[in-house]
């Protein structure tokens, strides 16, 4: 779901039709939140509409809802809409799942239907435990570098809808604008659409940075030559200033300066 790209009412209608054959008997739902962020949030009025249009017996027959890969953004979103989501708070039918193995305890792998983009995140992982994410409140995390993304998983559970949950934030290679090794124990990640760089501490910072640079470079090389990938040049950047000087000097009468 992308806000502004998909008609919300049509989405609700599609879900109603999809679930209709199962209303009369117990059924389970898997909600994959791996790729959820600001671009696919439900606005407040649309979120409340979901609770209005569904028939009561459809809720009664939901045996369980498995929420896979909850992230930091989802936690903040549920806090913001706490009043609307009060009925879900602490529900025993709502279960947060943080790995395919745990989901397999409830649903057979061939019945899970998780997207390929979600499953590939668990392949070829380099895992760095005991890292620290620095912010206004420092948090212990694990950093997992896969073939296409970096995952930052909280080491301690936090409350989401009244339940203790491990948060897993996914940052794709295509979203990484800059990786900077600050010193031997600290590095920063600058992400597209995020104003403030993410800062981490770990004893193996150099190894983590090299792993991230590797997947970023591999992603760049996989892009078509016709679509060059360049870091945005801002006026305050040195390249931006040099470009400005060069453009101004193009009109000079001195051929050497030109």
């Amino acid at each position: 779901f992308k806000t502004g790209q998909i008609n919300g009412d049509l989405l609700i209608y599609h879900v109603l039709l999809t679930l209709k054959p199962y209303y009369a008997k117990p059924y389970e739902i898997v909600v994959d939140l791996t790729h959820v962020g600001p671009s696919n949030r439900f606005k407040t009025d649309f979120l409340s509409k979901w609770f209005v249009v569904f028939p009561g017996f459809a809720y009664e027959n939901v045996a369980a809802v498995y929420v896979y890969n909850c992230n930091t953004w989802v936690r903040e979103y549920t806090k913001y809409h706490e009043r609307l989501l009060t009925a879900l708070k602490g529900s025993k039918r709502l279960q947060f799942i943080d790995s395919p193995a745990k989901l397999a305890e409830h649903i057979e792998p061939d019945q899970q239907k998780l997207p390929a983009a979600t499953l590939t995140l668990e392949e070829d992982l380099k895992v760095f435990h005991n890292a620290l994410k620095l912010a206004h409140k420092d948090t212990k995390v694990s950093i997992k570098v896969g073939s296409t993304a970096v995952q930052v998983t909280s080491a301690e559970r936090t409350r989401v809808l009244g339940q203790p949950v491990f948060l897993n934030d996914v940052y794709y290679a295509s979203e990484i604008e800059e990786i900077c090794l600050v010193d031997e124990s600290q590095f920063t990640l600058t992400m597209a659409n995020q104003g403030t760089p993410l800062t981490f501490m770990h004893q193996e910072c150099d190894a983590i940075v090299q792993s991230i640079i590797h997947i970023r470079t591999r992603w760049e090389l996989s892009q078509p030559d016709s679509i060059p990938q360049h870091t945005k040049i801002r006026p305050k950047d040195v390249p931006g200033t040099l470009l400005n000087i060069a453009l101004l000097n193009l009109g000079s009468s001195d051929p050497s300066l030109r």
Side-chain angles (χ1 to χ4, degrees):
F1 176 80
K2 290 282 186 182
T3 306
Q5 292 182 20
I6 296 175
N7 182 290
D9 292 333
L10 283 179
L11 175 65
I12 290 180
Y13 182 61
H14 167 72
V15 172
L16 284 168
L17 285 182
T18 305
L19 292 178
K20 192 174 181 179
Y22 307 100
Y23 283 163
K25 54 188 176 183
Y27 61 95
E28 297 174 324
I29 297 175
V30 177
V31 182
D32 178 16
L33 297 179
T34 303
H35 315 283
V36 169
S39 64
N40 34 38
R41 73 189 187 282
F42 291 148
K43 292 181 180 177
T44 305
D45 57 342
F46 182 46
L47 180 65
S48 60
K49 190 180 286 187
W50 285 92
F51 295 98
V52 174
V53 300
F54 271 79
F57 54 83
Y59 288 115
E60 291 169 10
N61 286 322
V62 177
V65 177
Y66 303 106
V67 181
Y68 184 73
N69 254 353
C70 185
N71 61 26
T72 303
W73 184 86
V74 172
R75 180 189 62 184
E76 298 308 313
Y77 181 82
T78 56
K79 280 183 181 178
Y80 184 79
H81 293 96
E82 190 171 14
R83 183 180 58 82
L84 278 174
L85 301 172
T86 301
L88 300 179
K89 202 168 184 178
S91 171
K92 292 181 179 179
R93 291 189 288 180
L94 192 65
Q95 298 188 39
F96 288 88
I97 306 288
D98 51 56
S99 73
K102 289 186 179 178
L103 186 58
E105 293 174 7
H106 304 280
I107 299 176
E108 292 293 328
D110 62 336
Q111 293 294 315
Q112 291 173 8
K113 310 296 185 186
L114 288 175
T118 296
L119 294 173
T120 52
L121 290 174
E122 299 301 314
E123 299 172 0
D124 304 322
L125 286 178
K126 291 182 181 177
V127 183
F128 302 89
H129 297 291
N130 301 317
L132 199 63
K133 182 180 179 183
L134 305 180
H136 61 278
K137 182 183 179 183
D138 298 346
T139 51
K140 294 178 182 178
V141 296
S142 293
I143 299 172
K144 299 183 281 189
V145 185
S147 57
T148 58
V150 179
Q151 298 178 70
V152 178
T153 308
S154 60
E156 299 171 353
R157 296 179 190 269
T158 186
R159 289 275 169 182
V160 178
L161 293 176
Q163 298 197 36
V165 178
F166 288 115
L167 301 178
N168 188 47
D169 295 324
V170 180
Y171 304 104
Y172 294 94
S174 58
E175 298 175 314
I176 299 171
E177 290 190 341
E178 187 179 20
I179 312 108
C180 181
L181 186 64
V182 179
D183 54 42
E184 61 184 17
S185 63
Q186 189 171 318
F187 73 96
T188 62
L189 269 183
T190 303
M191 310 301 303
N193 304 319
Q194 287 197 22
T196 308
L198 304 168
T199 305
F200 299 93
M201 288 187 70
H202 195 273
Q203 292 179 342
E204 299 178 68
C205 270
D206 188 57
I208 298 173
V209 167
Q210 292 306 317
S211 297
I212 297 173
I213 289 173
H214 175 71
I215 66 166
R216 169 67 189 177
T217 304
R218 188 164 65 179
W219 175 81
E220 287 180 338
L221 293 173
S222 71
Q223 299 306 296
D225 294 335
S226 59
I227 312 175
Q229 299 294 326
H230 298 295
T231 305
K232 293 176 184 175
I233 297 176
R234 300 174 178 87
K236 66 180 181 179
D237 296 336
V238 172
T241 305
L242 291 174
L243 180 62
N244 192 36
I245 292 170
L247 291 171
L248 287 171
N249 289 335
L250 278 176
S252 172
S253 56
D254 184 344
S256 300
L257 183 56
R258 286 202 304 275

